[in-house]
Amino acid sequence: MKKVALAMVFEEIEKPFRPLSVYLPALKQGEVIVEITYATICTSDLHSYFGRRGTPAPSVLGHEMLGRIVNLPQNEMLDFLGNPLKKGDLITWSVYAYDHTADMATKGIPQKSKSLFKYGHEQIQKNDVLSGGFATHCHLRNGTDIFRIPEGISQKEAAPLNCTHATIAGAIRLAGSVQDKNVMIIGAGMLGISACTMARFAGAKKVLAMDLNLQRIENIFRFGADMGINASHSPEEIQKKILPIGGIDVVIETSGSTEAMERGLDLLNVGGISIWVGAVYSQRNVSICAESIVRRILTIKGLHNYKPEDLSYAIKFLKASHSTYPFDSLVGAEFQLKELDKAFTIAKESGSYRVGITPNY
């Protein structure tokens, strides 16, 4: 096993990443060392690097990742499903570590635990460096839920599991049963594509996607959508399109646009539900007609991150669906870790859903 790891450190907005070599840490109870085999640049990584959201620095960005276990504590460790872990296992893990006995965890909202440690978002503390995906190794903390990657799933397909797909699994959970319901996905980026496929997997009657980007609207038909809608169309035009199918029962809003959230509420049938996922940066307040919410018996739910059970569901979904949809195609260019500066530039300028990073190859 290698004793030295390389991390690419984020220090300032739009400044080059700094390569930093560190020794692999000694393990405490419940900790694991993983050699990262693949990572992808998430949109939130771009928000951090280009200053659209506050991020601690110095830090190691990257949270969509997977890798092989290279070091375990001496006594037995189990994955989320209760199976023993061993060296060489290809795994993904929850995007955060937490105290499973803490108040928020027992309330069923572990992602809001006070002692949360979030991978790819933590400031470097002394020699505690390996906490993000843009490195050769990651140090998994005690309280991290670990999952094996099923055979047959490529690394391109698997890397977004612990962010994109797990988040959408959480949105589907909050929506309740979507069986035989019409589901509108607002935003046809990576989250939106995942939502199209997962709504279809969950038994939706019709799956629609709306975006301003016409190329992305065209692409959603490869991922389970029945109808694509240009978001620049007037409310009257959109209503005319959805009326023949019986309107919209569930909206999953992934764009984060206040206008999109407002429009999504207007589209809902009586008794409809809107799940807001994309609003993770500051913007103007949403304008809501309270009387309309009351009289139409609407429900709004917000989701930030997810529960470990959602990641488990996402893995089952991907295992069953990866041969049906071209998830591999969502990763555009690939770069070695030492080319991370170039990778971020390409990720910003190319319009690719994801850019891949191969830390050890």
Side-chain angles (χ1 to χ4, degrees), residues 19 37 48 53 57 123 242 275 281 290 301:
T37 56
S48 296
R53 60 182 285 176
Q123 188 170 30
I242 65 175
I275 310 298
Y281 48 89
K301 292 185 178 182

Side-chain angles (χ1 to χ4, degrees), residues 5-252:
L6 174 66
M8 300 297 285
V9 179
F10 167 69
E11 295 184 309
E12 292 185 59
I13 295 170
E14 295 191 62
K15 298 296 182 183
F17 291 91
R18 176 171 64 90
L20 176 63
S21 295
V22 295
Y23 287 105
L24 295 178
L27 292 180
K28 300 176 183 177
Q29 176 58 34
E31 298 182 342
V32 177
I33 298 294
V34 178
E35 182 182 50
I36 299 173
T37 56
Y38 205 84
T40 43
I41 299 176
C42 178
T43 303
S44 62
D45 292 316
L46 297 178
H47 289 332
S48 296
Y49 182 75
F50 292 102
R52 295 190 288 268
R53 60 182 285 176
T55 300
S59 62
V60 178
L61 301 179
H63 51 274
E64 290 189 344
M65 51 184 162
L66 67 154
R68 295 196 181 276
I69 295 174
V70 295
N71 200 7
L72 288 161
Q74 291 184 347
N75 51 333
E76 186 176 80
M77 275 192 65
L78 306 178
D79 67 11
F80 181 77
L81 299 178
N83 301 309
L85 292 167
K86 63 182 186 301
K87 291 182 181 180
D89 283 343
L90 183 64
I91 62 169
T92 188
W93 51 94
S94 56
V95 76
Y96 55 86
Y98 67 102
D99 180 355
H100 288 56
T101 65
D103 289 346
M104 294 305 289
T106 58
K107 290 179 180 179
I109 317 175
Q111 68 267 45
K112 292 301 174 182
S113 298
K114 290 183 179 179
S115 59
L116 201 74
F117 183 96
K118 194 171 180 184
Y119 295 102
H121 297 78
E122 297 291 334
Q123 188 170 30
I124 291 173
Q125 302 292 335
K126 295 183 180 180
N127 295 322
D128 192 3
V129 174
L130 302 174
S131 60
F134 302 138
T136 58
H137 295 75
C138 191
H139 175 199
L140 303 192
R141 275 58 174 180
N142 187 21
T144 303
D145 291 297
I146 298 173
F147 302 79
R148 284 185 177 84
I149 300 297
E151 292 184 6
I153 298 177
S154 73
Q155 298 202 77
K156 282 185 179 181
E157 293 168 330
L161 267 170
N162 72 337
C163 178
T164 299
H165 296 314
T167 299
I168 294 302
I172 295 292
R173 169 176 53 82
L174 289 181
S177 174
V178 300
Q179 182 75 39
D180 297 325
K181 294 181 179 179
N182 293 335
V183 180
M184 169 71 82
I185 314 301
I186 301 183
M190 190 73 173
L191 284 168
I193 281 177
S194 176
C196 286
T197 56
M198 210 172 296
R200 176 66 66 206
F201 179 74
K205 180 180 179 181
K206 294 289 185 182
V207 177
L208 301 82
M210 183 164 63
D211 202 290
L212 290 168
N213 186 316
L214 299 184
Q215 185 176 356
R216 290 196 166 186
I217 291 174
E218 185 66 28
N219 195 40
I220 54 94
F221 294 106
R222 303 165 66 213
F223 294 91
D226 299 292
M227 184 186 299
I229 295 178
N230 187 335
S232 68
H233 287 172
S234 69
E236 293 75 20
E237 289 175 300
I238 295 173
Q239 287 287 0
K240 187 176 180 180
K241 287 180 178 292
I242 65 175
L243 188 61
I245 65 168
I248 303 299
D249 304 301
V250 176
V251 166
I252 299 178

